[in-house]
Amino acid sequence: MSLITPEFGLLFWQTLIFLLLFLLLAKFAWKPILGSLKEREDSIDEALRMAQNAKLEMQSLKAGNEKLLADARHERDQMLKEGQVIANRLIEQAKTTAVEEASRIAQQAREAIQQEKNQALAEVKNTAAQLSVDIAERVLRRELAEPAAQQNLVDAYLKDIKLN
C-alpha cells in the first residue's frame, strides 16, 4: 500500500459515510440552518429599515427643531424691538413730562417774581407817599409855624373856594 494512492475500499467507505452524512445533514440540519440564516437576514433587513425610518424621522425632527429655533429667534428679535420701542416711548414721555414740569415751574417762578415785583413797587409807592407826606408836613410846619402865615393860607384857600 502506498501512502499517496488510496485503495478502493477506503474510497468506498469514505464516499458512503460522506453521502450518509450529507443526507442526515440535509434532512435534519440544512432546513434549521437555512431557516435561521433566513431569520437572521430578515432581522437585519428589518433593522436596516428601522434605522432608515429612524434616520428619516431624525431628519424630520431636526428640520422641525431648526424651524422652532428660527421661530424662537424671530420672536426674541421681535420682543427686543418691541422693548426698544417701548423704552424709547417711555424716554420720550419722560422728556415731555420733564419739559412740561420745567415750563410749569418756570411759569410759577415768573408769576412769583411778578408778584414780588408788584409788592415791592407797592411798598416803594407807599414809602414814597409816606415820605412825601412827611416832607409836606415838615414843610408846612415850617411854613405855618407863624400864626400870620396860617391866616394867609386860610385866606388863600377861601379865595380859591369862592372862585370855583
Side-chain angles (χ1 to χ4, degrees), residues 83-152:
Q84 187 67 30
V85 167
I86 290 171
N88 288 339
R89 189 176 337 126
L90 288 175
I91 289 170
E92 287 300 318
Q93 282 179 339
K95 284 180 183 178
T96 304
T97 304
V99 167
E100 290 173 355
E101 185 68 19
S103 176
R104 186 182 60 77
I105 290 171
Q107 183 62 31
Q108 286 178 345
R110 277 189 226 105
E111 290 172 0
I113 289 170
Q114 187 63 37
Q115 284 179 345
E116 288 180 16
K117 180 181 169 185
N118 291 341
Q119 287 175 351
L121 284 175
E123 190 176 317
V124 166
K125 285 179 183 177
N126 287 339
T127 304
Q130 185 65 36
L131 285 174
S132 296
V133 168
D134 287 345
I135 290 172
E137 182 183 344
R138 287 182 186 168
V139 168
L140 284 175
R141 281 191 186 182
R142 193 174 343 148
E143 290 288 323
L144 299 175
E146 301 171 10
Q150 288 177 6
Q151 186 62 37
N152 287 338

Side-chain angles (χ1 to χ4, degrees), residues 1 5 10 22 26 47 50 62 64 66 68 95 102 114 120 122 128 135 141 145 148 155 162:
M1 233 212 246
T5 55
L10 180 62
F22 182 76
M50 287 175 64
K62 185 178 178 185
E66 288 175 1
L68 285 174
K95 284 180 183 178
Q114 187 63 37
I135 290 172
R141 281 191 186 182
D155 289 339
K162 289 179 184 177

Side-chain angles (χ1 to χ4, degrees), residues 24-39:
L24 283 174
L25 284 176
K27 182 165 181 140
F28 295 111
W30 285 113
K31 286 184 184 180
I33 291 174
L34 289 176
S36 66
L37 285 176
K38 180 68 176 162
E39 272 183 43

Side-chain angles (χ1 to χ4, degrees), residues 30-81:
W30 285 113
K31 286 184 184 180
I33 291 174
L34 289 176
S36 66
L37 285 176
K38 180 68 176 162
E39 272 183 43
R40 175 86 172 138
E41 184 181 341
D42 289 344
S43 68
I44 289 173
D45 285 342
E46 183 65 27
L48 288 175
R49 273 193 303 277
M50 287 175 64
Q52 184 66 26
N53 288 342
K55 182 179 177 184
L56 291 174
E57 189 175 333
M58 287 298 291
Q59 287 175 348
S60 172
L61 288 174
K62 185 178 178 185
N65 286 343
E66 288 175 1
K67 185 181 181 317
L68 285 174
L69 188 59
D71 289 345
R73 285 185 183 133
H74 178 71
E75 188 174 335
R76 179 201 65 199
D77 292 342
Q78 190 79 16
M79 290 174 79
L80 287 174
K81 286 178 184 176

